[in-house]
């Protein structure tokens, strides 16, 4: 006899709740179909379900996300970096207390206290015909961030070396929920023969039909719930072996929404609005903000960043403010809506010649107009870089390019050999946006504060 087993999954929802009612509607249809066919189906999430850009996740620190996963009937969930390093240690420690699914993340543990009761390295569930499916969870190892938040994250490869032999003896099928990104997923597939399927996330890649590497099936469904994924197994019950596996990711654009879930999300939205309605500042003047100019509120924002971090120089891109603030009361919701990014302040060390190069790069038209996606940024474009602690003079050429003509600190030219401390958003320590900052050997992250916490302090001091 052959047993048909189905796994369905989401990854990198990032609190895009506008897609969630369609997803749940689809799960309900799939569950009804498989029950009629007497087939087992399981639901999994690969992390970054929570994203504090959304008012619901901000107000309830991810607890509403967990309730939505519970009500949808999920079986396994792992953590992404948005659960792991944008919440405080206490909020993450209690995030899954009410979870009715298995939470698995093998390479994460606490440093100074026992692990939370919900955290496991892997979990094995048994189908109605007795087939044992083991699911391992792994998350991206942002070592410095986790350490500052009271957690330890270790190499996912070390954990797989430690666990796989044990799991192989206990399970018939091994599935990896990987919030590591496509490069690590490919490396794992090449290195470990016993992992049957890797369901991936973090880098928002999309495999519509799955990919095979060294006999391991890789699957991933993009981001934001625009696609969902399916993995199908055929298990030979007599010979106890996997005879077929396939994967697909598909759009739910035409899927009907589940009305009950739609009402639940709307209820949470209203609750979040009430929770974020607290007035936290009062402005006596309009504080306009545009992405390609240095506004008063951005200038003060950057000054707060410099003072907060104790840096020599501070810099923030004007695109972090989606819009300005009108005269009158400012609520927590206003601040969250206009500065939604889960980004932390940070401070790096740069030589004077490196700082000059950063300033030049940030004045390039292509840099200011870049439509940045990811790295914590939830805005539209990077915008003009605004500085404090350094005086930057520039001129615009006929082609629209802007060229830096003079840079001074306290009236003196930057010393190319001197080391300066520079405060900015942690976004610029990732990738290749500003290589000098990303490659700085000394970085200090300020956590759990987000940029909008410093914006709040700025607005409190505004006239």
């Amino acid at each position: 006899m052959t047993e048909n087993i189905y796994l369905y999954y989401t990854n990198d929802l990032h609190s895009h709740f506008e897609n969630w009612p369609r997803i749940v509607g689809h799960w309900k249809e799939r569950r009804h179909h498989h029950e009629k066919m007497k087939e087992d189906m399981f639901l999994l999430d690969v992390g970054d379900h929570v994203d504090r850009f959304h008012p619901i996740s901000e107000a309830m620190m991810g607890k509403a996300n967990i309730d939505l996963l519970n009500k949808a009937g999920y079986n396994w969930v792992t953590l992404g970096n948005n659960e792991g390093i944008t919440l405080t240690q206490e909020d993450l420690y209690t995030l899954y207390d009410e979870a009715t699914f298995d939470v698995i993340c093998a390479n994460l543990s606490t440093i100074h206290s026992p692990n939370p009761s919900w955290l496991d390295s892997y979990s094995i569930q048994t189908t109605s015909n007795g087939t044992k499916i083991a699911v391992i969870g792994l998350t991206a190892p942002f070592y410095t961030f986790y350490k500052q938040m009271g957690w330890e994250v270790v190499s996912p490869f070390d954990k797989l070396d430690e666990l796989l032999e044990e799991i192989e003896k206990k399970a018939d099928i091994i599935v990896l929920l990987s919030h590591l990104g496509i490069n690590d997923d490919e490396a794992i597939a090449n290195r470990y023969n016993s992992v049957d399927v890797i369901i991936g996330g973090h880098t928002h890649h999309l495999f519509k039909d799955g990919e095979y590497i060294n006999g391991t099936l890789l699957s991933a469904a993009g981001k934001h719930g625009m696609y969902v994924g399916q993995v199908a197994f055929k298990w030979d019950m007599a010979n106890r072996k996997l005879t077929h596996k396939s994967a697909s990711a598909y759009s739910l654009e035409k899927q009907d929404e589940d009305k009950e879930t739609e009402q639940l999300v709307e209820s949470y939205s209203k609750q979040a609005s009430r929770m974020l309605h607290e007035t936290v500042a009062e402005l006596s003047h309009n504080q306009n903000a545009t992405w390609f100019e240095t506004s008063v509120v951005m200038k003060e924002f950057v000054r707060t960043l410099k003072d907060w971090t104790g840096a020599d120089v501070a810099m923030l891109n004007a695109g972090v403010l989606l819009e300005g603030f009108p005269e009158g009361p400012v609520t927590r919701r206003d601040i969250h809506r206009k500065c939604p990014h889960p980004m932390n302040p940070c401070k790096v060390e740069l030589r004077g010649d490196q700082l000059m190069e950063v300033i030049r790069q940030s004045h390039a038209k292509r840099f200011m107009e870049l439509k940045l996606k990811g790295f914590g940024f939830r805005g539209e474009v990077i915008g003009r870089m605004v500085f404090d602690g350094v005086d930057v003079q520039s001129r615009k050429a006929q082609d629209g390019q802007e060229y830096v003509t003079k840079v001074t600190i306290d009236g003196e030219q930057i010393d190319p050999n001197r080391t300066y401390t520079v405060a900015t958003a942690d976004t610029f320590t990732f990738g290749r946006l500003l290589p000098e900052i990303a490659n700085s050997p000394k970085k200090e992250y300020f956590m759990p504060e987000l940029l909008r916490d410093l914006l709040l302090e700025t607005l409190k001091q505004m006239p």
Side-chain angles (χ1 to χ4, degrees), residues 360-373:
R360 291 191 191 100
Q361 290 176 56
S362 68
H363 279 75
K365 189 171 183 284
R366 67 180 179 276
F367 180 85
M368 289 190 276
E369 294 179 352
L370 179 64
K371 296 181 183 295
L372 178 61
K373 300 297 180 186

Side-chain angles (χ1 to χ4, degrees), residues 48-78:
D48 277 3
H49 194 282
V50 175
D51 193 316
R52 288 179 62 185
F53 99 94
H54 198 287
I56 291 175
S57 298
E58 172 72 1
M60 301 170 202
M61 290 299 159
K63 292 292 181 69
N65 295 71
I66 306 313
D67 186 54
L68 292 171
L69 288 163
N70 282 343
K71 287 183 167 59
Y74 273 65
N75 300 93
W76 287 286
V77 166
T78 195

Side-chain angles (χ1 to χ4, degrees), residues 170-349:
K170 297 180 179 179
D172 300 308
I173 298 170
I174 299 177
V175 176
L176 172 62
L177 287 188
S178 165
H179 197 87
L180 299 173
I182 185 170
N183 291 335
D184 279 0
D185 290 352
E186 291 174 348
I188 289 169
N190 277 308
R191 181 166 168 176
Y192 303 100
N193 295 325
S194 60
V195 177
D196 295 296
V197 176
I198 299 173
I199 302 177
H202 185 50
T203 45
H204 300 176
H205 51 293
L206 175 65
F207 291 147
K208 288 188 176 180
D209 299 307
E211 297 279 343
Y212 280 92
I213 294 180
N214 193 33
T216 297
L217 177 61
L218 276 64
S219 186
K223 63 179 180 178
H224 301 170
M226 294 183 288
Y227 289 78
V228 296
Q230 179 201 71
V231 174
F233 295 121
K234 289 187 180 296
W235 177 256
D236 184 333
M237 296 171 63
N239 295 304
R240 301 200 58 77
K241 67 178 183 178
L242 198 58
T243 58
H244 181 76
K245 55 188 176 184
S246 63
S248 61
Y250 48 91
S251 169
L252 295 183
E253 186 178 359
K254 297 181 180 180
Q255 170 69 43
D256 291 334
E257 294 184 340
D258 179 64
K259 296 303 179 184
E260 183 181 350
T261 303
E262 189 178 22
Q263 291 170 4
L264 180 60
V265 170
E266 179 61 26
S267 173
Y268 272 130
S269 181
K270 291 177 180 177
Q271 186 179 342
S273 184
R274 291 192 298 269
M275 294 173 71
L276 297 174
H277 191 63
E278 173 193 1
T279 296
V280 291
E282 190 85 27
L283 298 178
S284 58
H285 301 89
N286 289 340
Q287 296 295 338
N288 298 320
T290 57
W291 298 336
F292 299 106
E293 296 177 3
T294 301
S295 62
V296 173
V297 66
M298 269 305 303
K299 191 68 177 172
E300 292 301 316
F301 190 5
V302 179
R303 182 167 293 136
T304 300
L305 173 63
K306 178 177 174 289
D307 293 343
W308 185 282
T309 59
D312 299 319
V313 175
M315 50 183 277
L316 273 181
N317 55 304
V320 298
L321 281 188
L322 304 192
E323 56 185 276
F325 294 85
E327 174 187 343
V330 179
T331 65
R332 285 180 60 205
R333 182 176 178 84
D334 294 330
I335 292 175
H336 177 267
R337 180 166 56 86
K338 298 174 185 188
C339 188
H341 330 277
M343 290 157 45
N344 302 98
C346 73
K347 184 168 63 174
V348 302
E349 289 188 355

